Amino acid sequence: ASRWVNQRVIRGPQPELVKTYRVIGRLPNGNFQTLTQVQHNIQRLCRHDIEPVEVSSLRLHIDSTHGAAEARVYEIRCYG
């Protein structure tokens, strides 16, 4: 059974992994500002140190995955 399982394992980034994305914040004046952007991501857990800025909301804009048609994000945390 081990050989059968190993033949089907994808080596490297999984297709559902987010590859490129942007974190965008809404400023008090209503405009949006890109706070960070990532290309060629291969990690499941990503942490970012972002310069402090006052925002009323955040948006995660996913540009691409490593092959899957749709992306799913399970958690976003933001600390001030």
Side-chain angles (χ1 to χ4, degrees), residues 16-78:
E16 68 274 10
L17 183 65
V18 175
K19 184 176 183 180
T20 60
Y21 63 92
R22 293 173 279 150
V23 177
I24 302 167
R26 174 177 241 151
L27 302 174
N29 64 9
N31 293 334
F32 291 94
Q33 176 182 340
T34 299
L35 304 176
T36 190
Q37 59 186 23
V38 175
Q39 297 181 353
H40 310 296
N41 176 52
I42 58 170
Q43 309 255 336
R44 287 198 178 271
L45 174 64
C46 300
R47 293 182 175 155
H48 302 287
D49 290 325
I50 299 173
E51 289 295 319
V53 61
E54 183 179 338
V55 295
S56 60
S57 64
L58 291 174
R59 288 185 181 183
L60 176 64
H61 184 86
I62 298 171
D63 295 311
S64 66
T65 65
H66 281 276
E70 42 182 63
R72 293 190 178 138
V73 175
Y74 294 96
E75 184 175 11
I76 296 176
R77 294 183 187 188
C78 184

Side-chain angles (χ1 to χ4, degrees), residues 1-26:
S2 177
R3 183 177 169 192
W4 181 83
V5 171
N6 284 334
Q7 288 176 341
R8 287 158 181 74
V9 171
I10 298 171
R11 306 284 180 206
Q14 301 300 297
E16 68 274 10
L17 183 65
V18 175
K19 184 176 183 180
T20 60
Y21 63 92
R22 293 173 279 150
V23 177
I24 302 167
R26 174 177 241 151

